[in-house]
Amino acid sequence: MSNLNKQILPPSTIGIIGGGQLGQMMALSAKSMGYKVGILDPTPNSPAGQVSDFQIVANYSDEKALQELAEKSDVLTYEFENVDQYNLEKVEKITSVPQKIDELVITSNRLKEKSFLSSNGIPVTQYARVTNEKELYEAVEKIGRPGILKTTEGGYDGHGQIDINEDSLLSVVSKSIGKAEWIYEKKQSFVKEVSMIVTRDFRNNVLTFPLSENIHRDHILHTSIIPARVDDEIHQKASVISKKVASSLELYGVLGIEFFVLDNDELLVNELAPRPHNSGHFSIEACNISQFEAHIRSICGLEIPPIKLLNSSVMVNMLGDELTVGRRNLPTHPEWHFHDYGKAEIRPKRKMGHITVVGNSLNNLLDSVEKFK
């Protein structure tokens, strides 16, 4: 069932593939609306499993486990894009899977994603496919340096990426290629990184959330500032592009779109994420509807109200031991909306939780979370 032909109302069961923090916040939103929630994740007592009705502990590629989740669910969704597409397609006969398989095929492969965007007239950086040493040299010769060599599948938060600068030895880099498929992208000298969450309901209404300004640390999102501190024209451009992408994908659920803002105020799309996005967490406290409720409403065939930003906001990820810092300082910061994902082990650079602050003054909000700069 690629398209919704009925409304799925509470207390129906929503199955979520993935038990991380995105699944947790998705589940919390669904539960508040009266739905039952089931999780498929290999980690016992996963963050999402902690707040759901049941969890199937199995690998994502386990066909029998996915079939069991489908049989127990009235609708199936996912919290990350590296889902086993073949197995997901098979369970479409069992339950509703509103998000199109094509959406996963495109967004889980950087080369296919860039090709999709280019073919729809959406601006992206220059890129080339690389599978061997010869193609690497040709791509660098054609596109120039600096650039970034990325695996086409599986990379996130800086994993599977190699920076290629003027002094990089391609003979050394080529040893890392192996038999995998890579994409070489021109590295852009951008002014800011921004992102926008977009969604579409069963009436084909496409709605966007406010534009977020994002600050990264070691390729991992650290701080989001909302609304983004850019000209209104850039907010409008991002909205137009986001709606075009959503319509082209025949989107259900929500989609995160990352942009580069160039010095001439042009926008380039960097990446797509066919699910709730880290930079959209602010919407839980700062908007009339969160990205997670919008996702649930979209996949269940419910109308989505016009999205409004109620307050300016700053969101900070707590990475690794920053969670300990956050817990220790929580008693003296009543303005913090504190989100602890309940992960069993604190590891360096791992997203352990986030803090959102809302108000009228962005400067005051940034001061509130200065401990995490």
Side-chain angles (χ1 to χ4, degrees):
M1 294 174 62
S2 295
N3 296 308
L4 294 172
N5 56 15
K6 64 175 183 177
Q7 291 178 324
I8 298 169
L9 302 175
S12 300
T13 299
I14 299 172
I16 303 174
I17 304 168
Q21 64 267 20
L22 297 178
Q24 182 187 73
M25 288 178 273
M26 202 184 294
L28 286 168
S29 183
K31 290 293 293 178
S32 73
M33 297 172 70
Y35 290 98
K36 293 183 172 61
V37 179
I39 303 296
L40 171 62
D41 193 276
T43 304
N45 197 36
S46 67
Q50 294 169 24
V51 300
S52 297
D53 295 276
F54 66 89
Q55 177 181 338
I56 299 169
V57 180
N59 289 325
Y60 304 122
S61 58
D62 188 321
E63 185 177 346
K64 289 185 178 179
L66 181 59
Q67 182 173 333
E68 180 185 351
L69 180 65
E71 289 171 346
K72 291 181 175 180
S73 303
D74 298 287
V75 61
L76 209 58
T77 186
Y78 44 80
E79 67 145 15
F80 62 97
E81 51 266 49
N82 296 312
V83 177
D84 189 311
Q85 298 158 12
Y86 175 73
N87 287 341
L88 186 61
E89 193 169 14
K90 291 174 72 172
V91 299
E92 283 186 312
K93 300 175 182 177
I94 301 173
T95 191
S96 173
V97 184
Q99 295 153 282
K100 295 180 66 176
I101 301 297
D102 285 351
E103 184 180 322
L104 274 179
V105 171
I106 291 167
T107 57
S108 63
N109 183 292
R110 288 189 172 102
L111 196 63
K112 291 177 181 176
E113 183 176 279
K114 286 286 191 295
S115 177
F116 162 79
L117 291 167
S118 297
S119 65
N120 281 281
I122 295 165
V124 297
T125 191
Q126 287 180 271
Y127 67 94
R129 179 174 183 262
V130 172
T131 59
N132 55 49
E133 185 175 10
K134 178 175 178 290
E135 290 179 351
L136 173 62
Y137 277 87
E138 290 174 348
V140 174
E141 176 67 23
K142 176 185 176 183
I143 293 172
R145 309 189 200 203
I148 306 177
L149 188 66
K150 303 177 181 179
T151 53
T152 56
E153 297 183 350
Y156 67 98
D157 287 347
H159 299 287
Q161 300 187 18
I162 302 172
D163 288 325
I164 296 182
N165 302 310
E166 299 301 331
D167 56 351
S168 298
L169 296 176
L170 297 187
S171 58
V172 175
V173 174
S174 65
K175 294 176 183 178
S176 302
I177 294 176
K179 295 182 180 180
E181 181 185 56
W182 298 70
I183 181 172
Y184 181 66
E185 300 178 2
K186 181 178 178 61
K187 197 170 188 177
Q188 293 291 332
S189 179
F190 53 85
V191 177
K192 291 182 186 291
E193 293 181 78
V194 298
S195 61
M196 182 167 277
I197 309 299
V198 62
T199 188
R200 189 177 75 116
D201 66 18
F202 76 107
R203 296 185 186 275
N204 297 327
N205 296 316
V206 182
L207 305 98
T208 58
F209 283 81
L211 189 67
S212 169
E213 175 185 342
N214 301 322
I215 300 170
H216 290 77
R217 182 188 294 174
D218 298 327
H219 299 286
I220 303 171
L221 178 64
H222 191 266
T223 305
S224 290
I225 301 167
I226 304 93
R229 296 169 297 182
V230 294
D231 291 341
D232 289 343
E233 182 183 359
I234 293 176
H235 288 258
Q236 294 301 319
K237 284 182 181 178
S239 182
V240 169
I241 292 172
S242 297
K243 289 178 178 180
K244 185 174 183 180
V245 172
S247 296
S248 298
L249 283 175
E250 297 181 19
L251 175 71
Y252 282 112
V254 300
L255 178 81
I257 305 179
E258 298 177 5
F259 300 89
F260 293 137
V261 183
L262 305 186
D263 57 10
N264 62 357
D265 284 350
E266 289 301 311
L267 286 176
L268 296 181
V269 173
N270 179 34
E271 286 187 355
L272 306 178
R275 47 160 174 80
H277 192 264
N278 192 171
S279 67
H281 293 349
F282 73 91
S283 61
I284 298 173
E285 287 87 17
C287 293
N288 63 316
I289 180 173
S290 75
Q291 64 167 339
F292 301 100
E293 183 178 342
H295 183 85
I296 297 301
R297 284 179 169 274
S298 178
I299 65 170
C300 290
L302 305 180
E303 196 164 351
I304 301 171
I307 296 166
K308 300 174 183 177
L309 181 66
L310 305 178
N311 284 291
S312 297
S313 178
V314 172
M315 186 283 299
V316 174
N317 278 325
M318 291 182 286
L319 306 175
D321 281 330
E322 289 180 336
L323 176 63
T324 304
V325 175
R327 287 170 173 169
R328 188 168 59 244
N329 286 276
L330 180 58
T332 58
H333 285 277
E335 77 279 11
W336 285 358
H337 296 275
F338 194 81
H339 297 257
D340 184 335
Y341 303 147
K343 294 183 178 180
E345 181 185 1
I346 294 177
R347 295 199 298 264
K349 299 183 180 181
R350 190 183 195 192
K351 293 172 183 172
M352 302 301 301
H354 76 268
I355 291 169
T356 302
V357 286
V358 297
N360 297 321
S361 169
L362 283 177
N363 288 334
N364 290 344
L365 298 179
L366 288 166
D367 288 342
S368 171
V369 293
E370 64 179 352
K371 292 176 176 64
F372 304 97
K373 289 182 180 177

